[in-house]
Amino acid sequence: MKSQSAEESRIAQLCVEHGLKMTGQRRVIARVLSDADDHPDVEELYRRASALDSRISVATVYRTVRLLEEKGILERRDFGGGRARYEATEGGRHHYHLIDVDNGKVIEFEDPEHEELMRRVAERLGFDFVSMRLELFGKKRPQPVKETKAPARARKKKEAGS
Amino acid sequence: MKSQSAEESRIAQLCVEHGLKMTGQRRVIARVLSDADDHPDVEELYRRASALDSRISVATVYRTVRLLEEKGILERRDFGGGRARYEATEGGRHHYHLIDVDNGKVIEFEDPEHEELMRRVAERLGFDFVSMRLELFGKKRPQPVKETKAPARARKKKEAGS
DNA sequence: CTAACTGCAAATATTTTGCTTGCCG
DNA sequence: CGGCAAGCAAAATATTTGCAGTTAG
C-alpha cells in the first residue's frame, strides 16, 4: 500500500501522461494497482476494484491491464497457475521473484548488479535493453533449528501466496 | 535436431529412468521433444508428433508435457502469446532467452557466471536452487551499416519465431 | 461533438477431465 | 492380469470481442 489519499494515484498520473482518458473505473483500477504491493491476477484486481466501486466489469479490468501493459505502465508475470499476474513497472531498480516450489509462495529480492549485467548481455547481442523478467525456483532449506516455530508443510493446489 | 536414429531418444530414456510406461505415442512425443532445438507449444508438438504417427491426440500431448514437467524432464516457458512453450531441461549449463520486442523472435544465449550468481542469491534467502527462468526483452540496435541487407521491419501479431 | 471507454454476453482459446478401451510391464 | 495410459468429446478456465449506450476532453 502507498498513497491512499484522495488525490490521483501514481498509476493514474502515468495514464494521464500517456494520454489515456481517465474514467471513473479506470481511476479505481489505477488506485488498486498503485496500492498493491503484491502480484494480483485479473480476478483479484476485479475483486479489489469492485470493493471500491461496484460499477466495474471484469472485461474492463482485462482491457485496462492489457492497455497499461502496452503502454509499459504494467508488467505481466507468469508464476504458473494459469493466470497472468500484474505489477507496476518500476522506474529504476528492478526486483525479482523467488518462487517456493513447495507452496508457490513468492519472495521478492533485489540484486543491483544484475540489471547492469543484463544490459551488457543485451548490448553484446546487439540489442538495447528494454525490460527483463527473472524467476528463480527454490526449495526452502531446512533451517538449522532457529526457534520454536511450527513447520506448516502445506501443499495447496491452486491459488498460492501472491 | 539431435540423434534421429532408430534407438530410444534421450527423453525416452529419461522417461524410463523415471519409471514411466513407454507407450507408442509417448515414445513419439519424446522423440519430437528430443529432436526439437526450439521452443514448441503444445499445438506444434502435436503437429510434429502427428506427422510421425497419426494415432496421437492433443489430450495426450497435454498430459505428457505436464507429466514430464512434473518429473523435471521438461521446462515450461512463457514468451507471451498465451500458449505455454516447452523445452528439455538441460543438465548443467542453463541458457537464457532474449526476446526481440519488435518481432517476437527469440535468441538464446548463455552466461556461465549467471547461474552461479543465482545459486548464491537463493542460498542467501535460505533456499536450495531448483531452477530458474530468465527472459530479457530488447530492441535490435540499428547496426552501423554492416552490409546490403533489406531492413524487413515487420510487426506480426501472433505466432512469432520460436 | 466524437473518439475512447464500458457493460454484458457471446465467442475464443487453451488446457483439463470423465469415461471407456487398450496396452505395457 | 492390473493398472497406467490413450482417445474422444464435453467441461472448465482464462481472455477477447461485438455491439449499443456513456463519457471524458
Side-chain angles (χ1 to χ4, degrees), chain B residues 81-83 85 103-104 155-161:
Chain B
R83 300 118 96 130
R85 289 158 164 242
N103 59 21
R155 187 164 267 272
K156 279 183 288 186
K157 200 75 184 186
K158 282 253 172 177
E159 208 53 54

Side-chain angles (χ1 to χ4, degrees), chain A residues 98-156:
Chain A
L98 166 59
I99 295 132
D100 185 330
V101 295
D102 287 325
N103 59 22
K105 277 229 157 48
V106 178
I107 292 154
E108 298 189 349
F109 66 93
E110 294 196 27
D111 192 341
E113 34 171 344
H114 197 268
E115 180 172 334
E116 192 40 48
L117 184 61
M118 289 303 106
R119 283 186 186 280
R120 279 198 299 272
V121 169
E123 184 171 341
R124 169 155 55 84
L125 297 170
F127 283 75
D128 284 329
F129 177 93
V130 169
S131 149
M132 67 169 297
R133 190 195 278 166
L134 167 60
E135 280 122 46
L136 204 48
F137 295 87
K139 239 182 168 44
K140 193 166 262 158
R141 182 142 32 73
Q143 292 301 112
V145 195
K146 215 173 189 176
E147 46 180 320
T148 351
K149 207 166 181 187
R153 286 269 123 191
R155 188 165 266 272
K156 279 183 287 184

Side-chain angles (χ1 to χ4, degrees), chain B residues 25-45:
Chain B
Q25 22 291 72
R26 195 167 281 176
R27 211 182 310 274
V28 169
I29 296 170
R31 150 117 320 126
V32 168
L33 287 166
S34 297
D35 289 354
D37 53 0
D38 51 352
H39 319 87
D41 57 32
V42 169
E43 197 177 304
E44 177 61 23
L45 288 173

Side-chain angles (χ1 to χ4, degrees), chain B residues 69-134:
Chain B
E69 193 200 347
E70 282 165 11
K71 295 290 184 185
I73 297 173
L74 282 188
E75 288 185 357
R76 187 189 342 188
R77 306 280 175 218
D78 162 49
F79 296 156
R83 300 118 96 130
R85 289 158 164 242
Y86 294 88
E87 73 181 322
T89 298
E90 294 166 83
R93 295 279 146 269
H94 279 234
H95 71 256
Y96 310 109
H97 303 101
L98 166 60
I99 294 128
D100 185 330
V101 296
D102 286 324
N103 59 21
K105 277 230 157 50
V106 178
I107 292 154
E108 298 189 349
F109 66 93
E110 294 197 28
D111 192 340
E113 34 172 343
H114 194 269
E115 180 172 335
E116 190 43 46
L117 183 62
M118 290 302 104
R119 283 188 187 280
R120 279 200 299 272
V121 169
E123 185 170 340
R124 168 155 56 84
L125 296 170
F127 282 75
D128 283 329
F129 176 94
V130 169
S131 149
M132 68 169 298
R133 188 196 282 166
L134 168 60

